[in-house]
Amino acid sequence: MIIMRFLTNFKIISHLSLASKFARNLSCGTPMRSNKDGPPKPPPADLCCMSGCVNCVWIQHAEELLAYYKGSDGALDKALSAIDSEIEDESLKSYLKMEIKFLKKKS
């Protein structure tokens, strides 16, 4: 029982330390991936810890897409189209589309 509790706590702690390592990189508000020739590229799939972080790399990607297309005609449609073309996972695609619509509505 004690060993199981230790292992569970160890998993949580190691997962949190990994997430906090990435959070330090994301919390400054600067883009992680710069691409001056086109829209921002999605983050590597293994960069997301899948724990629902407030500063999730996928939310940052949605923000970067909206910032990239801001001011152009049909900015929302272009950002949504970029998600369609670059993301294969249907669940992630739906999540990002929802985030983009929310961020656009909020701004």
Side-chain angles (χ1 to χ4, degrees), residues 36-77:
K36 295 178 183 178
D37 300 329
K41 300 286 185 208
D46 61 344
L47 188 57
C48 180
C49 66
M50 303 303 273
S51 66
C53 299
V54 173
N55 56 349
C56 177
V57 295
W58 291 111
I59 294 174
Q60 183 184 18
H61 180 60
E63 291 170 346
E64 289 173 357
L65 279 172
L66 279 177
Y68 178 79
Y69 290 115
K70 186 178 183 176
S72 67
D73 290 337
L76 178 63
D77 291 334

Side-chain angles (χ1 to χ4, degrees), residues 18-100:
L18 176 66
S20 68
K21 179 176 98 175
F22 292 119
R24 283 193 301 272
N25 293 335
L26 300 175
S27 62
C28 63
T30 57
M32 287 178 44
R33 300 160 305 281
S34 63
N35 186 3
K36 295 178 183 178
D37 300 329
K41 300 286 185 208
D46 61 344
L47 188 57
C48 180
C49 66
M50 303 303 273
S51 66
C53 299
V54 173
N55 56 349
C56 177
V57 295
W58 291 111
I59 294 174
Q60 183 184 18
H61 180 60
E63 291 170 346
E64 289 173 357
L65 279 172
L66 279 177
Y68 178 79
Y69 290 115
K70 186 178 183 176
S72 67
D73 290 337
L76 178 63
D77 291 334
K78 288 179 182 178
L80 294 174
S81 178
I83 293 296
D84 273 332
S85 65
E86 65 191 19
I87 306 296
E88 293 180 21
D89 183 292
E90 291 298 321
S91 297
L92 180 58
K93 193 181 291 190
S94 296
Y95 171 71
L96 287 175
K97 286 180 173 183
M98 178 189 67
E99 281 295 324
I100 286 175

